[in-house]
């Protein structure tokens, strides 16, 4: 019998033994950089001439891996392999499918620091963030395995005399899984394992920024005994191969996490019925955010500032849940701003490989350019309090100072558009009511936090702050599997609540059989 689900604990890097182990893991991964990787279709390695080159954003000349790049031809082959594997995988008992996930979790636990080291090198997470990414991936495997076993049990229905009624959750078919780079293991693993544990097969197209860490997972699933063709691994350009896969008539569902622009495009393309298509494609789309922390008068300014700095600058502000706007009651505005600026100035920026680093590089040249552009806009729209510049290094990494801009208008661009980098905007509110109204004034609705000591204000925030994940008197990042099911409102997506008890139902269809005796 399985034990109750419990979240994986985080590695304590203040412990010298763990520090040494992490240094060794990074040293090991450095010896593995620059290799060539194939596509994986139907369990076979498939080479291709075109390459995706994954580099270290802290030292872009360091090649993490070279990948074969998929074309519409290889995408078609992956679809056929997934269709063929679906015939048998969909009939494998749920508990056996769940065991593959449990085995994968055990392998990841054994390789935990090595996987974290790949994340550090490929996308620039610091030690703590990279370790948490792996812990979350393990949690997804453990949680969805148990959830699949739970929903495969007889489901409660109202009894009816003279009949037996039975509701079962069936898989859908072939899904296209498209994750982002910012949780290169956790989100990729979460969407993929949820899909396959339900009996579906998938074509997994990782982000072009992080194909190597995704490949590690595909090999782990192979080692865990997953049959060939259940996961087909297809690195390739989203705009080239993504459209082909989304529009394919045999695609049954798409599980996407990424930007609003791409999510909406996928939703639109998937809605168009193709010749030969006999179902309505299901789209599970988790998208961007413009997340706010609102601060009431009378709160502990130190506590609030700590929560704001951690939420805004963890992983360089590149979390969909990251705080990018602080809305503070006028009575506490100057005090909170001063403390946040002081905290921000203490942030250590440097190579992610270095254990002292809090903020590593941003993900890519294009992220770097876009964030710096927003900083220039912010300098015009508000008052630059700290940061505001790129940091040049000998290796040419994509480092940017953590930046705070004060006195922005609630409708300015930096207060409305997702920047996805280490840029924090302060907005002053005259009252709690106004702070809440500003908190709700974007097209997004992903996370938010509200700090107050007034019970009525907290209740008002509970009722009126329109976000999928609301935190009261704590930071707005750090959702945990099973504890904080995750997903946003409005243009933040379909509110799928990954890591929650409802999530697997999105990858199934319920069938009811009634037999009259
Ligand atoms: P992105 O640019 O939208 O890319 C996400 C994925 O979509 C990548 O694998 C990308 O592939 C692929 N893609 C691009 N164009 C495509 C197309 N036409 N058809 C199909 N796939 C396509 O997002 P990102 O920069 O990776 O991630 C950052 C975004 O993700 C932010 O907006 C963040 O808020 C959001 N996010 C949301 C959540 C959430 O739970 N709501 C969680 C994490 C991140 P290529 O890499 O090859 O372009």
């Amino acid at each position: 019998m399985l034990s109750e689900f419990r979240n994986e604990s985080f590695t304590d890097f203040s412990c010298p033994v763990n520090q040494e182990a992490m240094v060794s893991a990074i040293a090991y991964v450095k010896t593995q950089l620059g290799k060539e990787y194939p596509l994986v279709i139907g369990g076979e390695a498939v080479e291709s001439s075109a390459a995706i080159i994954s580099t270290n954003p802290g030292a872009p000349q360091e090649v993490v891996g070279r990948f074969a790049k998929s074309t519409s031809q290889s995408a078609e082959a992956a679809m056929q392999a997934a269709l063929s594997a679906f015939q048998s995988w969909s009939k494998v008992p749920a508990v056996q499918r769940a065991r593959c996930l449990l085995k994968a979790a055990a392998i990841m636990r054994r390789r935990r620091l090595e996987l974290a080291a790949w994340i550090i090198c490929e996308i620039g997470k610091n030690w703590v963030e990279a370790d948490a990414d792996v812990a979350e991936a393990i949690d997804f495997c453990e949680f969805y395995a148990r959830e699949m076993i739970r929903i495969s049990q007889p489901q409660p229905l109202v009894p009816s005399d003279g009949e037996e009624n039975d509701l079962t959750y069936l898989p859908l078919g072939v899904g296209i899984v498209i994750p982002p780079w910012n949780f290169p293991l956790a989100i990729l693993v979460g969407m993929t394992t949820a899909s396959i544990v339900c009996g579906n097969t998938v074509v997994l197209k990782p982000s072009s920024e992080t194909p190597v860490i995704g490949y590690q997972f595909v090999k782990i699933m192979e080692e865990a005994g997953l049959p060939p063709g259940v996961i087909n691994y297809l690195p390739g350009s989203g705009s080239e191969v993504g459209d082909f896969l989304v529009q394919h008539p045999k695609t049954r569902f798409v599980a996407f996490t990424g930007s609003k622009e791409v999510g909406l495009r996928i939703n639109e393309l998937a809605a168009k019925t193709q010749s030969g298509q006999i179902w309505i494609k299901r789209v599970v789309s988790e998208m961007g955010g413009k997340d706010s922390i609102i601060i009431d008068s009378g709160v502990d300014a130190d506590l609030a500032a700590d929560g704001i700095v951690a939420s805004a600058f963890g992983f360089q502000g590149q979390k969909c849940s990251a705080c990018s706007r602080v809305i503070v009651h006028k009575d506490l505005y100057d005090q909170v701003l001063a403390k946040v600026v002081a905290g921000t100035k203490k942030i250590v920026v440097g190579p992610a490989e270095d254990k002292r680093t809090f903020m590593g590089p941003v993900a890519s040249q294009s992220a770097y350019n876009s964030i710096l552009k927003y900083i220039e806009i912010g300098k015009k729209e508000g008052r630059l309090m700290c940061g505001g510049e790129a940091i040049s290094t000998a290796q040419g990494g994509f480092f940017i100072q953590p930046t705070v801009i004060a006195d922005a208008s609630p409708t300015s661009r930096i207060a409305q558009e997702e920047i996805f980098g280490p840029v924090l905007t302060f907005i002053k509110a005259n009252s709690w009511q106004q702070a809440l109204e500003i908190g709700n004034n974007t097209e997004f609705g992903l996370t938010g936090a509200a700090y107050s000591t007034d019970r009525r204000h907290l209740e008002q925030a509970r009722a009126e702050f329109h976000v999928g994940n609301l935190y009261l008197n704590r930071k707005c990042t750090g959702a945990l599997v099973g504890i904080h099911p995750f997903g946003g409102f409005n243009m933040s997506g379909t509110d799928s609540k990954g890591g929650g008890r409802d999530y697997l139902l999105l990858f199934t269809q319920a069938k009811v059989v009634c037999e009259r005796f």
Side-chain angles (χ1 to χ4, degrees), residues 178-179 181-182 205 208 236 238 243 256-259 262 287-288 320 418:
I178 308 177
W181 47 262
N182 73 328
K205 195 220 84 63
S208 299
D243 284 1
F256 168 80
T257 304
S259 62
V262 175
M287 315 192 302
C320 56
E418 187 181 44

Side-chain angles (χ1 to χ4, degrees), residues 6-283:
R6 283 275 174 268
N7 296 91
E8 202 66 13
S9 52
F10 299 130
T11 305
D12 176 4
F13 288 117
S14 67
C15 165
V17 175
N18 291 340
Q19 286 181 15
E20 278 163 35
M22 192 71 234
V23 168
S24 304
I26 293 171
Y28 167 73
V29 163
K30 292 278 180 186
T31 68
Q32 302 298 304
L33 298 185
K35 291 190 173 172
E36 294 190 1
Y37 298 88
L39 313 174
V40 182
I41 299 177
E44 302 289 329
V46 175
E47 309 292 343
S48 108
S49 51
I52 292 180
I53 299 173
S54 172
T55 57
N56 179 344
Q61 75 286 1
E62 187 174 75
V63 173
V64 176
R66 285 190 174 76
F67 254 93
K69 188 175 176 193
S70 56
T71 57
S72 50
Q73 221 176 0
S74 41
E76 181 61 33
M79 173 54 81
Q80 293 307 325
L83 282 167
S84 160
F86 181 71
Q87 297 309 318
S88 47
W89 180 246
S90 56
K91 297 185 187 76
V92 171
V95 68
Q96 290 180 29
R97 298 195 303 255
R99 279 192 202 110
C100 282
L101 271 56
L102 297 172
K103 176 71 180 175
I107 298 168
M108 284 193 252
R109 218 173 264 122
R110 288 196 275 276
R111 291 180 52 191
R112 175 138 172 191
L113 294 185
E114 181 218 327
L115 292 169
W118 280 110
I119 294 172
I120 289 167
C121 293
E122 193 169 33
I123 203 64
K125 284 201 174 186
N126 73 16
W127 289 20
V128 172
E129 300 280 356
D131 178 66
D133 200 320
V134 184
E136 189 176 354
I138 296 171
D139 282 351
F140 278 131
C141 291
E142 294 279 353
F143 186 79
Y144 292 145
R146 284 166 176 76
E147 279 302 290
M148 189 64 232
I149 292 169
R150 180 178 71 79
I151 67 170
S152 66
Q153 305 300 312
Q155 297 298 307
L157 295 172
V158 173
S160 174
D161 291 342
E163 314 183 331
E164 183 203 353
N165 291 297
D166 184 34
L167 182 150
T168 45
Y169 292 107
L170 304 182
L172 294 168
V174 175
I176 311 301
V177 176
I178 308 177
W181 47 262
N182 73 328
F183 282 82
L185 192 62
I187 293 183
L188 178 145
V189 168
M191 294 200 296
T192 307
T193 55
S195 302
I196 64 172
V197 80
C198 293
N200 305 296
T201 56
V202 300
V203 178
L204 167 57
K205 195 220 84 63
S207 164
S208 299
E209 306 294 347
T210 51
V212 178
I213 184 70
Y215 185 80
Q216 308 299 325
F217 167 68
V218 171
K219 299 312 274 182
I220 287 169
M221 291 308 300
E222 251 177 58
E223 190 184 337
L226 193 75
V230 176
I231 299 176
N232 300 282
Y233 194 58
L234 208 68
S237 151
S239 49
E240 290 165 24
V241 81
D243 284 1
F244 177 86
L245 289 167
V246 168
Q247 294 181 92
H248 199 290
K250 296 292 182 194
T251 292
R252 181 65 182 84
F253 67 95
V254 182
F256 168 80
T257 304
S259 62
K260 180 193 87 174
E261 290 68 26
V262 175
L264 291 181
R265 177 177 176 80
I266 287 175
N267 195 43
E268 210 173 310
L269 289 181
K272 174 109 178 58
T273 313
Q274 303 293 327
S275 162
Q277 181 182 327
I278 60 164
W279 44 61
I280 298 173
K281 291 175 188 172
R282 199 177 286 179
V283 176

Side-chain angles (χ1 to χ4, degrees), residues 219-486:
K219 299 312 274 182
I220 287 169
M221 291 308 300
E222 251 177 58
E223 190 184 337
L226 193 75
V230 176
I231 299 176
N232 300 282
Y233 194 58
L234 208 68
S237 151
S239 49
E240 290 165 24
V241 81
D243 284 1
F244 177 86
L245 289 167
V246 168
Q247 294 181 92
H248 199 290
K250 296 292 182 194
T251 292
R252 181 65 182 84
F253 67 95
V254 182
F256 168 80
T257 304
S259 62
K260 180 193 87 174
E261 290 68 26
V262 175
L264 291 181
R265 177 177 176 80
I266 287 175
N267 195 43
E268 210 173 310
L269 289 181
K272 174 109 178 58
T273 313
Q274 303 293 327
S275 162
Q277 181 182 327
I278 60 164
W279 44 61
I280 298 173
K281 291 175 188 172
R282 199 177 286 179
V283 176
V284 177
S285 182
E286 294 312 311
M287 315 192 302
K290 188 71 187 171
D291 310 309
S292 305
I293 295 184
I294 66 175
I295 309 285
D296 205 356
S297 60
V299 305
D300 177 339
D302 287 305
L303 193 75
D306 287 350
I308 292 165
V309 172
S311 305
F313 299 116
F315 188 36
Q316 295 78 271
Q318 301 172 119
K319 297 181 189 178
C320 56
S321 56
C323 169
S324 64
R325 317 191 310 164
V326 189
I327 304 154
V328 194
H329 190 285
K330 61 180 174 14
D331 293 350
L332 212 60
Y333 185 83
D334 290 337
Q335 212 181 331
V336 174
L337 178 60
K339 286 181 189 294
V340 167
V341 169
T344 304
K345 284 181 174 166
K346 286 192 200 130
I347 287 175
V348 178
V349 185
E353 290 87 340
D354 186 331
K355 75 171 189 304
R356 293 162 300 185
T357 292
F358 179 79
M359 259 183 55
V362 300
S364 62
Q365 180 78 63
S366 61
Y368 179 82
N369 294 345
S370 159
I371 295 163
L372 290 175
K373 185 193 82 187
Y374 272 111
I375 288 176
E376 290 313 310
I377 294 170
K379 286 175 184 170
K380 294 193 189 89
E381 289 185 330
R383 182 163 53 108
L384 179 70
M385 300 300 298
C386 64
E389 303 289 338
I391 303 172
S392 58
T393 61
Q395 291 77 25
F398 307 126
F399 295 94
I400 295 179
Q401 293 172 337
T403 297
V404 178
I405 292 166
D407 308 344
S409 144
T411 53
S412 58
R413 285 188 68 189
I414 54 159
Q416 290 292 322
E417 297 172 18
E418 187 181 44
I419 300 173
F420 219 55
V423 184
L424 179 64
T425 299
F426 266 71
I427 302 167
K428 193 183 286 185
N430 290 322
S431 64
W432 182 249
Q433 176 65 35
Q434 193 190 29
L436 271 173
E437 282 167 13
I438 298 169
N440 284 332
N441 82 346
T442 75
E443 61 180 339
F444 298 105
L446 190 46
T447 73
Y451 284 73
S452 179
T453 53
D454 183 325
R455 169 70 17 218
R456 284 166 310 154
H457 286 182
L458 290 171
E459 293 300 340
Q460 191 186 0
R462 267 179 199 266
E464 295 175 16
F465 202 166
H466 196 60
V467 293
N469 285 72
L470 174 64
Y471 301 94
L472 301 180
N473 290 326
R474 58 152 280 185
K475 69 188 176 104
C476 64
T477 53
L480 291 169
V481 171
I483 297 178
H484 313 112
F486 193 80

